[in-house]
Amino acid sequence: MPDQANGSLLKDGSGKVVGSELIGQNFKDPKFFQGRVSSIDNNGAGSGSNNYAPSNPDLIERTKTSIEAWKQNNPDVPVSEVPIDLVTNSGSGLDPHISPKSAEVQIPRISKLTGISENDLQKLVDEHVEGRDLGVFGEPRVNVLKLNLALSELLK
């Protein structure tokens, strides 16, 4: 398993290492799919998120900030339709995956910014949905880095 032993690194079309398929990254350019809120700002040296209770004022403020950023960048998608994984972090703070729905709600924004049709973006998302492990464990998910690498290829 040399790929896993070397960090499951992913490369762009030119062969340059752009990240690990195991660690989430922040994508600041709105023409790309956005992942979960990260606790560590692309520094995989540590993991874990703050173990805040749902009533913790810091967690409430961070979630409100995430929702406001969502509304600003995605005005056509009502906040009530935003999956929770787009405005919260995972337990590890490193999760590179989002739900398929979280990818889908970003399609209108990305289509407007890139000129790629919503149908073509939906096909791209569908191609990157990973199923349950061993067919029964976990939920279907999309690796945001892999999805954005494929989107980069379409933008060339």
Side-chain angles (χ1 to χ4, degrees), residues 89-102:
N89 62 347
S90 65
S92 70
L94 300 173
D95 195 348
H97 298 97
I98 56 175
S99 65
K101 179 69 176 169
S102 290

Side-chain angles (χ1 to χ4, degrees), residues 129-150:
V129 173
E130 300 171 10
R132 298 171 187 266
D133 293 331
L134 302 175
V136 294
F137 298 109
E139 294 297 322
R141 61 208 176 272
V142 177
N143 184 295
V144 180
L145 178 56
K146 288 180 179 179
L147 180 59
N148 281 335
L149 286 171

Side-chain angles (χ1 to χ4, degrees), residues 30-66:
K31 73 179 176 198
F32 288 101
F33 289 91
Q34 308 299 308
R36 296 188 71 142
V37 173
S38 175
S39 297
I40 57 170
D41 284 333
N42 294 333
N43 176 358
S47 70
S49 63
N50 296 319
N51 194 14
Y52 292 143
S55 60
N56 184 288
D58 291 338
L59 177 62
I60 293 169
E61 188 57 38
R62 189 187 74 210
T63 304
K64 284 181 182 178
T65 300
S66 295

Side-chain angles (χ1 to χ4, degrees), residues 5-6 8-9 17-18 32 44 64 66 105 118 155:
N6 289 318
S8 300
L9 301 177
V17 173
V18 294
F32 288 101
K64 284 181 182 178
S66 295
V105 298
E118 290 190 22
L155 292 171

